[in-house]
Amino acid sequence: MTIVFDQHEWTLDERDGLPDDGARHELVDGALVMTPAPSGRHQWVSSSLLQALILAAPADLKVLHAPTDVHLDDRSVLQPDVLVVHRDRIGERGVSGPPLLAIEILSPSTRLVDRNMKLPRFERAGCPSFWLVDPDEPSLTAYDLVDGRYEQVAHVVGDQSWTATHPYAVTLTPAALLA
């Protein structure tokens, strides 16, 4: 279950004081969003994505996974499941500004937040690429920023493969992420 607290506009300092209880605590335009720890299936897909992205990554880029804070501004601190960022953007408190790629792995408790809150927030922040991976289908939907708006550049299902060009070339097959 995802819980959104929207009666109070949260700040970064208040979020930092929340307990370390295993839940994700993210700020989306001042709203505190808490989600439970991910399932084993979710983590399996995350590990597969990490491995594929790390093997293909150029030396100046780093592939990270949640929980890694991405500070978009004082009111939005998100933790994408997987992200690609320039090495020089990584600091002690996380990543400063939008990553080159943010990936969300859909689950029953995060599906609406990932699509309806996080995708538009990364778009507004200028994140060049955003992917949604659905382990249940399995599928991968990729968006690239074009003139300030996300345009869908791929939707592959099951054994279909797709080769990303942003932030670098990597070929993925949704079913293989669960293998």
Side-chain angles (χ1 to χ4, degrees), residues 76-147:
S76 294
V77 180
L78 303 181
Q79 295 180 357
D81 292 312
V82 178
L83 62 144
V84 176
V85 65
H86 282 286
R87 290 174 176 269
D88 62 358
R89 303 285 295 281
I90 303 168
E92 289 299 314
R93 298 196 54 180
V95 174
S96 175
L100 297 171
L101 168 64
I103 304 173
E104 293 296 344
I105 301 165
L106 302 176
S107 65
S109 65
T110 66
R111 186 173 300 273
L112 290 175
V113 169
D114 292 343
R115 283 192 173 134
N116 300 325
M117 291 179 80
K118 292 173 99 173
L119 182 146
R121 190 61 192 92
F122 277 112
E123 179 182 62
R124 283 195 319 268
C127 178
S129 296
F130 186 90
W131 301 351
L132 291 170
V133 177
D134 189 341
D136 293 334
E137 193 170 345
S139 68
L140 184 151
T141 305
Y143 302 89
D144 282 347
L145 200 62
V146 177
D147 296 327

Side-chain angles (χ1 to χ4, degrees), residues 1 6 19 34 171:
M1 170 194 290
D6 59 0
M34 291 177 25
T171 300

Side-chain angles (χ1 to χ4, degrees), residues 18-69:
L18 291 170
D20 184 10
D21 57 6
R24 281 193 192 179
H25 301 94
E26 299 173 283
L27 289 181
V28 181
D29 294 331
L32 180 64
V33 178
M34 291 177 25
T35 54
S39 70
R41 182 179 173 121
H42 179 284
Q43 294 302 81
W44 190 323
V45 170
S46 178
S47 295
S48 297
L49 281 166
L50 278 169
Q51 183 177 22
L53 289 166
I54 287 169
L55 289 173
D60 62 328
L61 301 181
K62 192 70 176 163
V63 182
L64 303 173
H65 58 85
T68 299
D69 284 344

